[in-house]
Amino acid sequence: MSIRGKIWKFGNDVDTDVIIPARYLNTSDPKELAHHCMEDADPDFTRKIRPGDVILAGKNFGCGSSREHAPIAIKGARVALVIAESFARIFYRNAFNIGLPILESAQAAAEIREGDDVEVDIETGVIVDHTTQKRYQAKPIPPFMRELLTAGGLVPYVRRQRQRAGGR
Amino acid sequence: MPMTMSEKILAAHCDRSHVKPGDLIEARLDFVFANDITAPMSIRVFKDAGGERVFDPQRVAMIPDHFVPNKDIPSAMQAKELRDFALAQKLPHYFEVGRMGIEHVLLPEQGLVLPGDVIIGADSHTCTYGALGAFATGVGSTDLGAALVTGKTWFRVPESMRFVYRGKRGAWIGGKDLILYTIGRIGVDGARYKAMEFTGPVIDRLPMSDRFTMSNMAIEAGAKVGLIAPDAITEAYVKSRAKRLYTFYRPDPDAAYEAVHEWDISGLEPQVACPHLPENVRGVSELRDIRIDQTVIGSCTNGRIEDLRIAASLLKGRKVAPHVRCIVIPGTPDVCRQALAEGLYQTFMDAEAVISTPSCGPCLGGYMGILAAGERAVSTTNRNFVGRMGHVQSEVYLASPAVAAASAVAGRIAHPDDVSSI
Ligand code: SF4
């Protein structure tokens, strides 16, 4: 799966309250959530981005609460991918579960600049910055997580497993 | 092969004699739960995944605690979704308003989460039960929804880090100060993906309520779990409450840890985490000039009876400063009953604090104490992110009930001694 889009850059420790503030958690409608994505860090974020764009951040992206509303808001805003130096544990798990691609690369997180035009192959983890002509290799996605992504998230994965178990 | 606590508990839940960090396992779950924010999505996932009956109704709880009593129409709709599901599934552990408390105070109190358990909750502070010696961790709604169907979930076995606390614990120093100090030292991702184990002579003598406070905030260092080996203090707490059998797992003395931190906490002063990250920790005396508008005493971190007693001891015979709102939120109905019986309500009312029904309330900027632009709160909660308690230009300082109560009286961030000597 290949992605091409513009980079929107954020810092370290972007927490889930910034990704989607709790005042909007009285709904779980992805469209509604997407509308407020990253609002407290950049009030115009959802107006500025284009479908297929990429969020780039430092360490510990998605720290804080377990709210799945966070990756859902990002996916709902039609951000195609998040690249970060590292991700907080629950966010990492949630992203795969709902089928939001994420990649870890400390070098890409440090060097790629806001507004750069990047092309990313999710399977191989190769990131090409067309603005600077630089290439980066993200950490490979663990095999089990890749299975989840291929299945389309945890729900289809569980459904498939249940069917298999039932068919035996 | 020696194992850490997490490794032992996880091995026992996937029928293996031994697991090691990095192993991917599927573990049996002893208890799963969700709240009014996370349950609606989990319920949809449960149905999508083909779920008809939850795997074991005795091992499931639904707790509407975040925006309940309903703060607005959308929250009422969410709470209803959870209630309807609980009724349809005949879940014995559904907690309606009046019986509802903050999940992480309520579940241990009711003896529903126990030592040796593997537990997932659709809430990040599920790690609180590590204080009982349970492998308990927060997950998202999808993981929880799938677990409602299967009673199982996958884990990557985490590396373990050991934290040893030595020395003499000072008069005002509790679990909150120890955990803030720890996060201040290692940072908000210092234990990312890891299991923290809190040990040492200080922990051996630490009361259960302080232990819960410490394990509660393991997630604020990025950890998967924050464990304390069960002992006589644990036994005294669970014995009369437990609704099931439980098992004590203790780490092997020669188990392998990725890191060991050993700290002498003698002379440590009360700790405060400044905006906007729980790692911005300073000693309270460095912050004495900071004027405040609100204090919040409650939450899953510090909403237990012991916390209210400490706050009341400082508020007794004193008044909250005229420009300050002091909001006290007991964690559960039992905490309310106990506080009432001990006269703490009278103390709080006389001090001109306000007492709420059990709820998460302002902790996550829900309701009942939202901050305006430019306002500052000292709070016993666990997160001080930008906008956590209201306006993006408001500020939250995290502290113990003692510091919060002293600050309410002083009208500025205060050391408990500043007030108790007045
Ligand atoms: S009290 Fe605060 S941290 Fe605890 S469960 Fe409620 S919202 Fe979360």
Side-chain angles (χ1 to χ4, degrees):
Chain A
M1 194 162 109
S2 186
I3 280 164
R4 185 154 182 177
K6 205 169 126 180
I7 289 285
W8 297 92
K9 199 161 177 174
F10 296 88
N12 289 331
D13 306 309
V14 171
D15 62 76
T16 49
D17 281 84
V18 162
I19 300 171
I20 182 74
R23 57 184 179 276
Y24 303 121
L25 297 187
N26 53 13
T27 175
S28 45
D29 175 14
K31 271 204 215 88
E32 189 60 30
L33 293 170
H35 199 62
H36 302 291
C37 179
M38 307 301 281
E39 177 178 291
D40 285 354
D42 178 355
D44 295 324
F45 181 70
T46 53
R47 273 192 294 280
K48 294 191 299 199
I49 59 159
R50 295 281 160 269
D53 281 359
V54 174
I55 288 180
L56 182 76
K59 70 174 176 74
N60 205 25
F61 185 89
C63 65
S65 95
S66 67
R67 62 187 70 154
E68 209 160 286
H69 312 64
I72 288 176
I74 294 174
K75 197 180 171 195
R78 293 186 289 171
V79 169
L81 168 73
V82 183
I83 305 171
E85 181 182 336
S86 62
F87 291 91
R89 189 192 69 81
I90 306 178
F91 183 90
Y92 183 84
R93 204 172 157 129
N94 286 346
F96 282 99
N97 282 346
I98 64 141
L100 169 71
I102 57 176
L103 287 174
E104 284 183 327
S105 166
Q107 210 194 344
E111 292 181 5
I112 299 179
R113 286 164 312 187
E114 169 114 348
D116 281 8
D117 165 30
V118 295
E119 192 168 347
V120 184
D121 184 322
I122 309 262
E123 257 110 74
T124 62
V126 172
I127 304 164
V128 178
D129 186 332
H130 288 296
T131 311
T132 60
Q133 304 302 334
K134 277 197 172 174
R135 263 173 83 92
Y136 305 91
Q137 176 65 56
K139 269 199 215 163
I141 298 175
F144 177 68
M145 307 310 255
R146 201 178 317 196
E147 243 180 275
L148 280 186
L149 273 186
T150 327
L154 187 67
V155 173
Y157 178 82
V158 168
R159 211 188 287 136
R160 197 188 294 171
Q161 278 203 322
R162 275 167 62 83
Q163 278 161 3
R164 260 188 228 152
R168 239 176 250 155
Chain B
M1 190 93 181
M3 287 189 281
T4 65
M5 264 183 87
S6 319
E7 289 155 15
K8 275 195 183 174
I9 299 173
L10 289 176
H13 283 76
C14 64
D15 302 318
R16 283 164 60 171
S17 60
H18 176 250
V19 297
K20 58 175 191 321
D23 286 357
L24 215 53
I25 60 153
E26 192 171 44
R28 265 192 317 279
L29 298 168
D30 296 295
F31 206 78
V32 306
F33 65 95
N35 59 49
D36 51 319
I37 290 183
T38 55
M41 237 184 240
S42 301
I43 293 166
R44 271 167 252 160
V45 167
F46 172 82
K47 289 177 181 157
D48 270 3
E52 282 152 22
R53 211 53 198 109
V54 298
F55 72 103
D56 180 351
Q58 290 292 341
R59 293 175 184 274
V60 174
M62 289 287 154
I63 310 168
D65 57 356
H66 279 60
F67 296 156
V68 169
N70 309 330
K71 72 158 178 155
D72 54 19
I73 295 167
S75 335
M77 299 301 288
Q78 284 186 322
K80 186 171 186 299
E81 233 177 300
L82 197 137
R83 180 181 305 116
D84 290 347
F85 180 77
L87 278 176
Q89 293 281 329
K90 299 197 175 58
L91 298 184
H93 308 306
Y94 167 69
F95 295 90
E96 192 52 271
V97 171
R99 290 177 286 276
M100 170 277 283
I102 302 171
E103 46 199 345
H104 312 306
V105 186
L106 186 73
L107 291 176
E109 173 196 278
Q110 296 300 315
L112 291 171
V113 290
L114 293 164
D117 281 358
V118 173
I119 301 156
I120 61 169
D123 190 275
S124 61
H125 292 100
T126 302
C127 54
T128 307
Y129 323 132
L132 294 166
F135 188 96
T137 193
V139 296
S141 296
T142 299
D143 274 320
L144 203 279
L148 284 174
V149 182
T150 61
K152 289 183 194 150
T153 201
W154 65 269
F155 291 113
R156 178 188 169 279
V157 177
E159 291 81 11
S160 295
M161 295 172 83
R162 203 155 181 259
F163 295 82
V164 187
Y165 303 84
R166 300 190 186 283
K168 190 175 177 318
R169 184 160 65 93
W172 298 110
I173 302 303
K176 188 61 162 285
D177 305 287
L178 297 178
I179 192 65
L180 287 177
Y181 177 75
T182 305
I183 298 165
R185 293 294 295 261
I186 68 169
V188 291
D189 71 341
R192 200 167 50 84
Y193 284 97
K194 315 286 185 216
M196 298 172 93
E197 275 185 27
F198 306 116
T199 75
V202 173
I203 306 297
D204 292 344
R205 284 190 293 273
L206 200 64
M208 225 30 244
S209 62
D210 293 88
R211 292 182 179 186
F212 282 125
T213 305
M214 289 190 75
S215 294
N216 174 270
M217 289 189 72
I219 177 73
E220 264 58 69
K224 188 170 199 160
V225 291
L227 294 166
I228 296 175
D231 58 10
I233 293 175
T234 324
E235 176 69 18
Y237 182 88
V238 292
K239 176 168 77 201
S240 58
R241 306 169 189 267
K243 302 279 195 301
R244 289 181 277 117
L245 295 175
Y246 53 89
T247 315
F248 281 10
Y249 293 94
R250 299 185 60 88
D252 289 319
D254 48 352
Y257 292 88
E258 191 189 74
V260 178
H261 294 276
E262 203 158 335
W263 293 314
D264 187 331
I265 56 115
S266 310
L268 186 76
E269 64 164 331
Q271 304 283 293
V272 178
C274 302
H276 288 285
L277 277 180
E279 70 182 20
N280 297 336
V281 176
R282 313 261 285 273
V284 67
S285 55
E286 290 175 55
L287 303 166
R288 275 196 174 108
D289 296 331
I290 297 174
R291 193 182 144 98
I292 62 163
D293 306 283
Q294 178 167 302
T295 59
V296 175
I297 299 166
S299 84
C300 60
T301 317
N302 286 113
R304 298 180 181 81
I305 187 68
E306 293 83 350
D307 300 309
L308 300 195
R309 282 182 193 135
I310 291 171
S313 76
L314 284 155
L315 289 167
K316 190 157 182 86
R318 302 190 174 90
K319 295 254 186 256
V320 171
H323 67 278
V324 173
R325 309 165 310 254
C326 178
I327 303 168
V328 181
I329 311 177
T332 67
D334 274 5
V335 176
C336 292
R337 271 186 282 271
Q338 186 66 25
L340 202 56
E342 292 180 16
L344 307 188
Y345 271 58
Q346 192 67 46
T347 304
F348 292 133
M349 299 294 294
D350 290 349
E352 292 165 358
V354 70
I355 309 163
S356 155
T357 181
S359 173
C360 294
C363 169
L364 79 164
Y367 65 150
M368 288 207 287
I370 303 302
L371 299 172
E375 286 192 326
R376 231 177 248 142
V378 173
S379 176
T380 68
T381 53
N382 47 40
R383 287 187 178 139
N384 56 355
F385 301 148
V386 171
R388 174 74 180 179
M389 202 172 268
H391 198 279
V392 285
Q393 282 155 26
S394 61
E395 293 184 347
V396 178
Y397 289 76
L398 304 174
S400 67
V403 169
S407 304
V409 172
R412 56 170 177 82
I413 295 180
H415 191 295
D417 282 342
D418 298 353
V419 167
S420 59
S421 58
I422 291 169

